[in-house]
Amino acid sequence: TASFQPKTVYLFNQYSYSLADAPENMHVDINGNITWTPIPSQVDNHNFTLKVDDGTTSSNLDISVYVNSPPIISTNPAKRTYLKRNEQFNFSFNSYDANEDAELSWYLLDGPEGMWMDSTGIISWDPQILDFAEYSIQLSDGYKSVEFSGFVYINSIPIITSVPPTG
């Protein structure tokens, strides 16, 4: 919810306030306080005009409000990924953001040595030893960010080395 409260210079004047080209469900009260709770589809820039009138003269104030929709990681691997020894971990994360002008950035926040993530959301790691490694990534639109954490477990396939007795 956004709120704007104008500072009135002369308290003895009677002002009336109105909005022009305001988004749906935006209101201005008799004191000039603007209230608005954007609905999910009201993202991006919203330009409108606040008109103040004292009965003799009026003034307009052009206002722009940006409504951000946080990014969403829409595709991610299982929280725990199992790999065989000498198998590479690769995954392409996908994202969504309702803002038309969103510039999304992917970051590898933490991970084992040699793990990397590119700007398109592809993460890769070529483990050299048996290991259990944690990693965490972040997706940001410059205003908000979301994170995902996972584990990669690398193990060798069991090999039966004994021979049953023959009888």
Side-chain angles (χ1 to χ4, degrees):
T1 299
S3 180
F4 170 74
Q5 298 177 334
K7 302 289 184 204
T8 3
V9 179
Y10 303 106
L11 297 177
F12 56 85
N13 286 342
Q14 293 295 323
Y15 295 101
S16 65
Y17 300 91
S18 60
L19 295 171
D21 301 318
E24 182 182 349
N25 73 348
M26 180 180 280
H27 307 282
V28 61
D29 67 16
I30 61 172
N31 296 314
N33 298 312
I34 298 172
T35 56
W36 180 42
T37 302
I39 59 175
S41 63
Q42 291 176 312
V43 296
D44 294 322
N45 264 336
H46 295 274
N47 300 309
F48 59 95
T49 302
L50 173 65
K51 181 178 179 181
V52 182
D53 191 314
D54 67 1
T56 305
T57 187
S58 66
S59 182
N60 292 332
L61 176 63
D62 293 325
I63 300 171
S64 181
V65 175
Y66 182 80
V67 179
N68 184 52
S69 175
I72 296 169
I73 298 173
S74 57
T75 306
N76 54 272
K79 187 91 171 147
R80 189 177 305 248
T81 302
Y82 296 93
L83 299 177
K84 297 176 202 157
R85 186 178 190 159
N86 299 322
E87 187 177 1
Q88 191 173 29
F89 174 62
N90 291 301
F91 190 84
S92 180
F93 285 87
N94 290 315
S95 62
Y96 172 77
D97 194 304
N99 294 99
E100 290 181 10
D101 61 348
E103 293 184 22
L104 300 177
S105 300
W106 291 97
Y107 302 100
L108 176 63
L109 299 177
D110 191 31
E113 185 176 332
M115 182 177 273
W116 57 268
M117 180 173 231
D118 71 11
S119 62
T120 66
I122 294 175
I123 191 169
S124 185
W125 181 44
D126 189 10
Q128 301 300 310
I129 58 172
L130 300 180
D131 207 348
F132 182 77
E134 295 181 57
Y135 68 95
S136 59
I137 60 98
Q138 180 184 69
L139 172 64
S140 175
D141 66 3
Y143 298 99
K144 290 272 192 175
S145 60
V146 292
E147 294 180 9
F148 174 83
S149 295
F151 303 92
V152 181
Y153 182 68
I154 300 94
N155 199 3
S156 291
I157 297 174
I159 299 172
I160 299 172
T161 58
S162 61
V163 178
T166 58

